[in-house]
Amino acid sequence: MKCVIIGLGYFGKIIKSKLCDHEVLTVDTFNPVSDYKDISDVNFVDGKWFVTTPASTHHDILLRLFEKGVKNIWVEKPICSTLEDTLDIFSKKPDDVFLYCDFTWLQHASIKKLGSVENVKHIEMKWLNDGSMIPKDVNIVTDLAVHPISILTFFLVKSMDIIDTINVVYANKSSVLVNGKSKGGITFNIEVSNSSKKKMRSVSMYSTENVYRWNSCEQFYIENIGDVQKSDAIEENIKHFFYKNSIGYPLDIARTLETVNKLFSDFDH
């Protein structure tokens, strides 16, 4: 299958490595090894198109792809930098265009398994980075907190629930603490930081029956469940994109992300 990757940076190179069984062409103005320098240079619209450029460029690129006539588009999270731009994309997306956003962690085997936990009362999540650089066009919320926010949305959907209240209780440029409650009474705490000495992700699900704990150090094992079948979350995302099997709540994630980002920006830090 013909695949086009727009943006041959860190994540674009990862996507390219996962498409070794396909014909891959790349578009990147600044990378001398790319096949094309601009979208307008590509003289076809078929195949699968991957947008892996900085988030601030997504709105313009997606609109250009719509206008060009591309029908199958994957966009790296977030869909756009702001809710307004995200809503604009969905309002202008042609009906025959399949738009897929790669919330990678939603295809992780352990996260999907935790989504089957019933009678959830409380959720704890930590998303810690080791000081690695965050792109200049995003912040700790839009670059890193988007992952636990998307996972929280997934967990609540699986519980037939939605967020009721969400708050930022602490923030500085590299860390943010978020808590809140769902309509159904599930409470949650999320810590996101880029100032940890060790890169680590963890989720604890507190149900009426048990506590289920997972962390990235043993990413295919969940306490009180056991081993989970290993899989590659990025490859699973690509399969979903190829088979046009998309999650049904990207706007819910975008709305929550916008709320947290505004609270983060307003916080005295």
Side-chain angles (χ1 to χ4, degrees):
M1 183 178 296
K2 187 181 294 182
C3 298
V4 180
I5 300 174
I6 304 171
L8 201 52
Y10 171 75
F11 197 63
K13 291 175 182 175
I14 292 176
I15 293 297
K16 186 179 180 181
S17 72
K18 305 293 184 181
L19 298 171
C20 54
D21 294 332
H22 302 274
E23 178 188 358
V24 179
L25 298 166
T26 57
V27 181
D28 194 313
T29 304
F30 306 104
N31 195 316
V33 303
S34 64
D35 299 293
Y36 302 97
K37 296 302 177 188
D38 190 80
I39 296 168
S40 61
D41 298 331
V42 186
N43 61 0
F44 58 87
V45 297
D46 59 324
K48 308 293 186 180
W49 293 60
F50 295 79
V51 179
T52 59
T53 56
S56 59
T57 67
H58 289 181
H59 183 261
D60 177 63
I61 289 174
L62 290 173
L63 290 180
R64 291 183 65 191
L65 292 179
F66 294 165
E67 184 178 356
K68 189 177 180 70
V70 175
K71 304 301 182 186
N72 295 287
I73 306 169
W74 154 308
V75 60
E76 183 182 359
K77 61 78 188 168
I79 296 173
C80 293
S81 296
T82 66
L83 178 61
E84 181 180 1
D85 281 350
T86 303
L87 292 172
D88 187 58
I89 287 299
F90 277 94
S91 72
K92 293 175 179 174
K93 183 185 76 67
D95 291 340
D96 60 349
V97 169
F98 177 65
L99 179 62
Y100 184 94
C101 185
D102 96 294
F103 295 105
T104 302
W105 282 95
L106 299 189
Q107 299 305 328
H108 192 286
S110 294
I111 298 302
K112 292 170 77 172
K113 188 68 176 179
L114 285 168
S116 66
V117 172
E118 298 180 345
N119 301 316
V120 177
K121 298 301 180 184
H122 180 71
I123 300 169
E124 290 275 340
M125 284 191 274
K126 291 182 184 290
W127 231 253
L128 309 180
N129 262 14
D130 55 2
S132 54
M133 185 185 71
I134 293 177
K136 293 181 179 179
D137 66 324
V138 290
N139 57 31
I140 190 71
V141 173
T142 52
D143 184 61
L144 201 56
V146 62
H147 295 296
I149 286 172
S150 66
I151 293 170
L152 174 66
T153 305
F154 167 68
F155 288 158
L156 293 180
V157 166
K158 297 295 284 185
S159 295
M160 299 179 65
D161 205 350
I162 59 173
I163 293 172
D164 184 26
T165 59
I166 193 164
N167 311 287
V168 169
V169 296
Y170 172 83
N172 62 26
K173 290 183 179 180
S174 61
S175 300
V176 61
L177 297 180
V178 178
N179 68 17
K181 190 175 183 180
S182 74
K183 291 279 189 182
I186 299 173
T187 53
F188 57 86
N189 293 320
I190 302 173
E191 178 187 357
V192 179
S193 180
N194 194 39
S195 61
S196 175
K197 291 185 178 180
K198 185 177 181 181
K199 186 175 181 178
M200 190 271 291
R201 287 88 170 90
S202 68
V203 179
S204 294
M205 302 275 285
Y206 296 77
S207 75
T208 53
E209 293 80 18
N210 220 325
V211 179
Y212 303 92
R213 298 183 180 90
W214 168 87
N215 70 75
S216 54
C217 297
E218 294 183 273
Q219 61 172 308
F220 296 105
Y221 175 83
I222 301 172
E223 188 177 310
N224 289 316
I225 291 180
D227 293 330
V228 177
Q229 186 173 356
K230 295 181 180 180
S231 63
D232 186 306
I234 295 176
E235 291 178 0
E236 289 299 311
N237 262 285
I238 291 173
K239 288 179 185 177
H240 280 265
F241 174 48
F242 280 7
Y243 294 124
K244 296 189 174 182
N245 183 14
S246 183
I247 64 169
Y249 38 89
L251 288 177
D252 293 322
I253 296 171
R255 289 187 180 97
T256 303
L257 189 66
E258 180 87 351
T259 299
V260 173
N261 195 35
K262 186 178 187 307
L263 292 169
F264 170 78
S265 298
D266 293 342
F267 201 89
D268 186 16
H269 58 81

